[in-house]
Structures are given as C-alpha cells and as structure tokens.
Amino acid sequence: MSEIKKKPVGITETILRDAHQSQIATRMTTEQMLPIIDKMDQVGYHSVECWGGATFDACLRFLKEDPWERLRKLRDGFKHTKLQMLFRGQNILGYRHYADDVVEYFVQKSIANGIDIIRIFDAFNDLRNLETSVKACKKEGGHAQIALCYTLGEAYTLDYWKEIAKRIEEMGADSICIKDMAGLLVPYEAEELVKALKASTKLPIQLHTHYTSGVASMTYMKAVEAGCDVIDTAMSPFALGTSQPATEVMCETFRGTPFDTGLDQKLLAEIADYFRPIQEEALKSGLLNPKVLGVNIKTLMYQVPGGMLSNLVSQLKDAHAEDKYYDVLEEIPRVRKDFGEPPLVTPSSQIVGTQAVLNVLMGERYKMITKESKALLHGEYGQTVKPFNPEVQKKACGDETPITCRPADLLKPELKEMEKEMARYKQQDEDVLSYALFPQVAVDFFKYREAQQEKVDPAKADTKAGAYPV
C-alpha cells in the first residue's frame, strides 16, 4: 500500500475571542489573558483569534480597557504566533455601515498594532461590502480571509457556494472561511461543501462552527477528510455548547492520521489548567449560564442561531406572550423569505427575529415595521441572494427608490469630522477609531481614563504602552 501523504490540519485557537464571547459575554480581561500567552505561543497554532468581534465594544463598555492597548500587549507576548481578528466588512466592529476612509484607517491601525490575519464577512455575503476592507488589508501586507456566512435555503445550492468562492479568489483574498455561526452544517454536508469549494478555487479553506446543535466535532472530522486546511477550536474550559469543539479533543482525534496536528497534549493540558479556574469563577458568579453548555437541536429544526433563540424568549416574556413561542418560530422563516433569504447573523438575525415577533403579537403581518426592517428592505445593508417580496418592500418603503448600489458609495468621508468632534480626548491616533465606532461608549471610557490618569504616580506611568497603574 502506498504511503498516505501527510497533511496536518491547522488549528486556530478561539479562547481569547469567540469562545469567551459565546459563553461569558466577552468578559475575559486582558489581565486574565497575559500570564498564559507565553505558553500559548509555544503550541504552534496556525493562528490565535484574539481581537475583533464583540471584544472591542466589551473592552470599552464593560471592562474599562483600551482595546488597542490589549492588542499591543498580546502582540508583545505572541512572538511566534499569528494573531487574527474578526471584521464585519463595511460595519467594521460596529452596527452600521461606515465610510470607506474609516474602514481603511481601521484596517491600517489593526495591522500596525499587531494583527496578521483579518477574517472579513458580510451578513448578506454581499461581496461589494467587503471590497474596501480586502483592498486595505492587502495594501498593509495583511492576510485577507473572506468568511462566507453559511446558511440553508433554496438559494444556497452547491453552485451558489462554488460561484461565490471563485469571485472571492478574483477579489484577491488569501483564504476562505466557511463561517457556520448557527451550527447548521452537518457532517456529510460539510464533506460535500469542502470538496465543492476545493474543486472551484485554489485558496486554502478554513471552517468555523459552533457546537450549539451538537454535531460540530463530527462536522470538523468530515471536513478535514475532504480537504479542509484549518479548523477553529477552543481550549476545553470554554469549549462546546455555544462555543467551538475542544482543541485537545480535535488534536487527539487526528493523532496518528495523515491530518495529525502535531500539537503537544501536555502543553495543551497546562493551558487548559490555567483557564479552568476562570471558567469555574464565571459559573459561580452566574456569568456563565450552564444552559449555554448544552445541545439545542432546535437550531437545526428552525435554522435559528442559539443567541437569537434566547433573544426571542426574552422579547416574548416582556410582552407576556410566551405561549406564542412556536408561532414566532414558524414566522421567522416566512419573514426571512420576504427579506430575500439572508443568512441569520448580526445584524440580520436581530432584524428578522424582532419583525417576526411583531408580526405574531400584532395578529397581522407587517402591521408595524421596525426602522431596521425598513432599512434592510430599502437596500441599506446591501443585496440579498434572492429579491425582496415586492409587496412587503412597498409597504415598508412606500414610493422611496430602493438603493441598488454598494451602500457605502452613498457615504461621505467621515474621519476628519470625527477627529474634530473628539479632539479634546485624543491621546493616541487610535482613539479616533474607538470614537467612530462607539461614540458615547468611547467618550465615557475617555473620561474614565482621564480620571484614572490623575491618580497615577507619574514615575510609574508607562506612557508608551498607554498603561497607567493606579
């Protein structure tokens, strides 16, 4: 028998970003991360995802930390490992489309402060919303990875995925990630999808999924056997449930096979031991709800991400209409169809979910339409894979002409104006970007920072790193 060719699978570690975002609302502090970085740097990960997503907002809003300072400290610690971030295309890390000058400057500063790989996605898979960030990333010498939001529906055939993969390659991306935010990708479908993508593009393929529906480890196994190059995993104390499959488990699964990661289990065990008390503390304090550690097969039945389900429950509770839960679950696919069948991910999941709740509570569909639903149907978020339901669009937008161009083409440059608005708080160039994304939250943080600095012994202030020990 001929020797099977070795093809070690790469591991992207998510514990410093998506794992704690998915389980403890992104509340891990920089101080909790720093002591273990040296050990994590010895593992030989493909990359460590440590920034972007909700970490930026959470740093400023809840932890009273400067996200840029966190990135610089992580960069100092990781001497041999690539650092990766998650970036929402034209939304950057905020919740609206920003002008191109803000997007370009944010990418430039992210790479200058230490990011190597930027994973860029758009909620609608509208590639026009990714052009600016991909170009900016390439210009700064970064690795531009485009993530496709995986979803199910009539429009999402193998041909759709193959076609979009070809276009991504033409855009100049360095790799493709299948981003399965709701845990909808089941093992044999994953095998088929990876083979199809491999046949239509030469780019490396990475797979990101969540354990919510209980199939993720098996999905990874079939995907890797089909040629997937890198998988996202989380150290066991913050793995499974709404997070990713466990790093140690996946390494053990592939040990002795052509896909052997070559990572050292002893070293991984030491890293897991470090994070375990943090997890136990989060359980004790109620920050980690044991419910998120279970399996929720309803995500496959209704194609609704786990976070969206809990949102619906609380909206219905507030309206004293918990008995309408199943009506809403049945209404969601109908609204999604009316809205052009977008993937359900921030912000489309919130928009579709809230509209479905209103349709059920009002007893009449689209009697009341949220301003976000109107914006979506007006084309402000970009183009969906299928057309909108024309009647619903007419009801929402009246005689307004829908937007068909790239939405950011209608935005004027806004960086200079923002710089003026926040000039009195500025201590580093990056502060402008914090303000651009979260104006009120950033100003609150800047005021807090000033108050802290007044209490500092000037001899102990590390002005270079922006650290002011009190």
Side-chain angles (χ1 to χ4, degrees):
M1 195 175 119
S2 65
E3 178 72 13
I4 296 176
K5 205 167 135 241
K6 283 204 160 110
K7 187 184 177 282
V9 63
I11 297 285
T12 288
E13 176 57 65
T14 67
I15 189 140
L16 300 184
R17 207 285 297 176
D18 199 14
H20 74 108
Q21 180 175 319
S22 298
Q23 291 192 352
I24 57 167
T26 333
R27 293 299 202 278
M28 204 185 286
T29 64
T30 305
E31 214 164 272
Q32 288 174 314
M33 298 173 183
L34 294 178
I36 195 64
I37 283 177
D38 189 43
K39 276 208 173 107
M40 288 179 73
D41 197 31
Q42 296 164 32
V43 171
Y45 289 120
H46 167 78
S47 64
V48 168
E49 193 202 36
C50 61
W51 212 60
T55 61
F56 200 92
D57 186 2
C59 272
L60 292 168
R61 192 187 299 262
F62 303 114
L63 305 175
K64 293 290 177 251
E65 288 185 10
D66 180 3
W68 299 99
E69 190 186 322
R70 170 182 292 188
L71 176 54
R72 290 191 284 267
K73 285 179 172 172
L74 292 172
R75 181 71 282 166
D76 283 348
F78 281 109
K79 301 201 173 6
H80 311 289
T81 309
K82 289 197 159 128
L83 299 186
Q84 182 167 327
M85 76 174 288
L86 182 67
F87 195 96
R88 297 192 197 113
Q90 211 67 32
N91 293 7
I92 312 181
L93 307 174
Y95 304 105
R96 67 171 178 91
H97 277 204
Y98 297 89
D100 287 338
D101 61 341
V102 181
V103 176
E104 286 158 359
Y105 195 44
F106 201 100
V107 169
Q108 186 194 330
K109 284 297 182 190
S110 301
I111 292 175
N113 280 285
I115 289 294
D116 300 291
I117 301 169
I118 304 186
R119 177 179 290 172
I120 308 164
F121 78 95
D122 175 70
F124 289 178
N125 292 331
D126 183 347
L127 297 186
R128 300 173 309 169
N129 292 335
L130 306 179
E131 285 164 8
T132 303
S133 26
V134 171
K135 273 188 197 132
C137 181
K138 299 298 289 174
K139 184 180 166 209
E140 299 301 323
H143 175 115
Q145 179 178 80
I146 289 189
L148 288 171
C149 296
Y150 178 78
T151 188
L152 303 169
E154 284 167 32
Y156 300 95
T157 59
L158 274 183
D159 285 341
Y160 166 83
W161 298 116
K162 278 156 72 171
E163 185 50 45
I164 205 164
K166 273 194 207 119
R167 285 168 56 206
I168 287 172
E169 192 165 28
E170 285 157 15
M171 270 175 83
D174 297 294
S175 60
I176 293 177
C177 172
I178 304 162
K179 179 179 164 61
D180 177 25
M181 55 282 163
L184 298 177
L185 186 57
V186 293
Y188 289 100
E189 295 285 337
E191 179 179 38
E192 210 179 342
L193 178 59
V194 171
K195 280 182 175 163
L197 291 179
K198 280 280 172 190
S200 62
T201 168
K202 293 186 177 65
L203 296 180
I205 305 291
Q206 183 155 358
L207 177 53
H208 169 93
T209 187
H210 290 254
Y211 211 86
T212 326
S213 59
V215 299
S217 298
M218 296 178 280
T219 295
Y220 275 169
M221 196 170 173
K222 295 309 285 180
V224 168
E225 288 171 354
C228 178
D229 301 281
V230 186
I231 52 176
D232 286 14
T233 64
M235 289 305 300
S236 54
F238 285 97
L240 309 183
T242 47
S243 174
Q244 279 75 47
T247 306
E248 307 96 306
V249 175
M250 294 317 301
C251 291
E252 199 52 43
T253 300
F254 295 120
R255 182 181 303 291
T257 73
F259 313 111
D260 195 329
T261 62
L263 305 192
D264 176 357
Q265 283 288 18
K266 271 207 190 82
L267 185 54
L268 292 175
E270 287 173 37
I271 296 167
D273 287 344
Y274 175 82
F275 284 106
R276 202 160 286 111
I278 299 176
Q279 188 236 25
E280 284 161 6
E281 190 46 49
L283 269 170
K284 242 189 268 168
S285 69
L287 187 56
L288 175 53
N289 182 340
K291 273 189 183 155
V292 305
L293 301 175
V295 161
N296 189 346
I297 199 68
K298 283 187 187 142
T299 52
L300 288 176
M301 287 162 58
Y302 297 106
Q303 299 166 27
V304 174
M308 189 174 164
L309 277 177
S310 49
N311 235 355
L312 293 180
V313 172
S314 72
Q315 283 181 345
L316 291 172
K317 213 175 182 167
D318 292 344
H320 305 294
E322 286 149 287
D323 57 323
K324 299 275 195 278
Y325 179 68
Y326 287 101
D327 298 338
V328 172
L329 282 180
E330 279 163 23
E331 177 63 5
I332 285 170
R334 292 198 283 264
V335 173
R336 186 176 165 230
K337 216 174 167 95
D338 290 337
F339 286 11
E341 219 168 47
L344 295 177
V345 64
T346 303
S348 55
S349 51
Q350 290 87 333
I351 298 171
V352 168
T354 304
Q355 191 58 56
V357 169
L358 279 177
N359 286 0
V360 168
L361 293 183
M362 292 285 156
E364 182 191 321
R365 303 186 74 226
Y366 304 111
K367 184 177 183 177
M368 195 174 152
I369 301 176
T370 67
K371 69 176 195 309
E372 290 81 8
S373 292
K374 282 180 183 159
L376 187 149
L377 292 163
H378 188 232
E380 287 167 38
Y381 291 96
Q383 196 176 8
T384 47
V385 56
K386 288 196 133 178
F388 300 134
N389 176 334
E391 284 165 34
V392 176
Q393 189 181 28
K394 178 87 177 137
K395 197 166 185 182
C397 305
D399 295 328
E400 279 182 62
T401 311
I403 294 170
T404 51
C405 65
R406 182 184 76 112
D409 288 343
L410 304 172
L411 299 175
K412 291 186 183 77
E414 47 187 344
L415 206 53
K416 281 204 168 70
E417 196 48 49
M418 285 169 172
E419 202 143 0
K420 257 192 232 141
E421 285 170 21
M422 57 75 65
R424 67 166 289 250
Y425 298 112
K426 186 175 164 183
Q427 296 186 4
Q428 55 174 354
D429 290 345
E430 290 81 359
D431 287 343
V432 179
L433 290 163
S434 303
Y435 176 80
L437 266 54
F438 304 105
Q440 192 49 56
V441 174
V443 167
D444 291 346
F445 169 74
F446 297 151
K447 287 177 178 166
Y448 167 84
R449 181 173 67 183
E450 280 174 10
Q452 293 303 308
Q453 286 162 359
E454 282 163 18
K455 302 177 195 168
V456 171
D457 171 357
K460 287 186 186 158
D462 173 3
T463 46
K464 182 172 176 284
Y468 301 94
V470 176

